[in-house]
Amino acid sequence: MNATGPTPAPITAAELPIRVPLIHGETVASYLTRTATANGLALPALLGALDDGLGLPDDGLDPQREEIRLPVEALDRLAALVDREPGQLSRALPSTHPDRLADVEAVRIEPWPDELGAAPLPACPLCMEPGAWLSADGHRWRPCPCGRRWLAGDDGGYLVDTGPVPELGRALHRHRELVHRLGPVGDALLADAHQVMLWWWVSIPRRRGPGRELGKGAADVWHGREDTLGMTRHRRRAAPVVVYPEAVTLAELMWKWEERRRKRGAAAEAWVEDVVAQLVPAGTLSRQERAPLDHWLEQHRPEPAGKPKGRTAADRRWNRLPALHQRPTEPGPFRAPSCLMWVYGLPLTSTTAVCPRCNGRAPSCRWVPYPGCTGLPGK
């Protein structure tokens, strides 16, 4: 990074008469870029008001590539310049949350890590603002709340216009209803179901692929959605979107199992038959297609009913989930991580590394090492 030349004179709040709206989840770099552009200022001038010694990358700052980290003092200065309360900014911009300010001593520019789930998501141009970028916080994709776009951070970031397939908007409505009814458990089960559907998208035959019939009906439905969305040449990108309706259906079935597995005589095989009846036109699953359901049932086993802990019904429902489920820090679709750890885009039968604690044998580490490894199975 090089300095851009002589340090411009510090700007004042009077030079920022246009206050751009806050976008929840936006990156700091995106917010500052929008603020500077709206007020006809060069971005270095605005950055200079926060830290006069900050240098920019040689080819300029790009919110798609970099984030700006602020210490507490710089956040206070920014709040004064844009006529906001520091708390307003902290609630809207994830990189300025108090727990992320503690280790920042001076304003700095950081490239987004080169790993899945780190890159920012392009904001919906219909209900947010064209050119804005949202913090991914470990989540690679999600539907926009308006239901008309799907946001993804893979491959440099892209948007999918979901309008041509209305059932995708209806799936979002059902997803919200599930979360409204069950709390974060609904979103966690949706994350699990989405992982299963992505496994199936990779595993089951395509209409133009092998001739095997098992699961072929679902594959044809997804293939048709990809064509309707105009993603014929980018089917891999479209996969998280096109499997969404079936993922919601499976999440609803998973909740039925959650209710059933605490009762005497709960039979996992009967539940699998329910899944097949609703989601598999051929009426049967191959061993490869059944595998993700078995992995899920391995963690969500039948257990004796007990009195769950928790102040609210949502808390008690959450505390019944297996240990690998981590409660989301924010509400909304696709905020809860899944307990199924395979990574879409990596081979299902190979790992990039082996967990040194369990040698890849724990449910958490069969595909990628998990920082919170649960140890060897049964221990």
Side-chain angles (χ1 to χ4, degrees):
M1 294 184 183
N2 296 324
T4 58
T7 302
I11 63 173
T12 65
E15 295 173 80
L16 298 172
I18 298 177
R19 190 172 70 163
V20 299
L22 291 174
I23 298 176
H24 185 76
E26 189 175 13
T27 71
V28 174
S30 175
Y31 176 71
L32 291 179
T33 299
R34 288 196 303 122
T35 297
T37 301
N39 288 280
L41 290 172
L43 182 59
L46 179 54
L47 291 174
L50 305 179
D51 187 331
D52 58 12
L54 183 68
L56 293 180
D58 293 339
D59 54 352
L61 177 71
D62 186 347
Q64 186 176 354
R65 297 187 321 239
E66 294 114 3
E67 176 61 313
I68 298 174
R69 299 293 304 277
L70 302 177
V72 174
E73 297 79 8
L75 178 63
D76 291 340
R77 288 196 292 272
L78 174 61
L81 285 171
V82 299
D83 192 24
R84 300 274 189 184
E85 293 294 327
Q88 282 184 292
L89 297 180
S90 290
R91 287 188 293 272
L93 312 177
S95 293
T96 65
H97 289 182
D99 59 340
R100 300 187 184 182
L101 297 178
D103 63 343
V104 182
E105 297 181 356
V107 179
R108 65 175 186 260
I109 297 173
E110 294 181 348
W112 291 108
D114 185 19
E115 58 189 44
L116 296 173
L121 313 179
C124 174
L126 302 180
C127 64
M128 297 180 196
E129 188 167 317
W133 290 87
L134 308 179
S135 176
D137 280 336
H139 302 285
R140 297 165 61 184
W141 45 63
R142 61 178 176 264
C144 179
C146 74
R148 296 178 291 171
R149 293 293 185 271
W150 189 280
L151 324 175
D154 289 359
D155 300 331
Y158 62 92
L159 294 162
V160 178
D161 178 0
T162 58
V165 183
E167 60 193 302
L168 294 172
R170 290 193 287 270
L172 175 58
H173 180 69
R174 290 167 57 204
H175 187 168
R176 286 172 171 157
E177 285 186 331
L178 193 67
V179 175
H180 178 73
R181 180 161 50 93
L182 304 179
V185 164
D187 196 51
L189 294 178
L190 194 288
D192 290 347
H194 198 248
Q195 284 285 81
V196 173
M197 288 298 115
L198 287 173
W199 178 298
W200 283 7
W201 186 92
V202 171
S203 300
I204 65 179
R206 315 295 288 167
R207 182 170 57 198
R208 298 168 187 169
R212 188 165 55 85
E213 293 300 317
L214 299 183
K216 191 167 179 290
D220 286 349
V221 168
W222 296 336
H223 201 102
R225 288 176 190 155
E226 292 158 9
D227 291 342
T228 303
L229 292 171
M231 302 290 283
T232 303
R233 300 182 61 184
H234 300 285
R235 299 191 187 280
R236 179 182 60 82
R237 290 185 180 183
V241 185
V242 300
V243 303
Y244 188 35
E246 287 72 29
V248 178
T249 298
L250 180 56
E252 292 166 344
L253 290 168
M254 285 176 164
W255 172 244
K256 290 184 179 180
W257 173 248
E258 283 297 307
E259 293 182 303
R260 190 184 306 174
R261 75 185 180 98
R262 299 282 175 169
K263 298 177 181 179
R264 183 176 300 177
E269 196 60 36
W271 177 78
V272 173
E273 291 175 1
D274 290 344
V275 172
V276 171
Q278 291 206 37
L279 291 171
V280 185
T284 185
L285 287 174
S286 70
R287 182 178 179 181
Q288 175 75 356
E289 292 155 6
R290 174 165 170 148
L293 297 177
D294 290 336
H295 289 307
W296 187 78
L297 287 168
E298 181 183 1
Q299 296 191 60
H300 296 251
R301 297 173 179 173
E303 294 180 0
K307 188 174 182 180
K309 298 179 180 178
R311 185 175 56 86
T312 65
D315 290 339
R316 291 189 289 273
R317 280 192 290 266
W318 182 267
N319 290 333
R320 285 175 170 157
L321 290 179
L324 277 182
H325 278 285
Q326 298 180 29
R327 191 158 187 159
T329 57
E330 292 190 13
F334 284 99
R335 297 293 186 174
S338 173
C339 70
L340 303 175
M341 302 296 184
W342 53 81
V343 180
Y344 175 66
L346 298 180
L348 296 173
T349 56
S350 65
T351 59
T352 55
V354 177
C355 175
R357 182 175 178 189
C358 70
N359 201 30
R361 293 169 57 194
S364 60
C365 307
R366 287 175 181 164
W367 292 270
V368 292
Y370 176 55
C373 175
T374 57
L376 297 180
K379 293 188 178 182

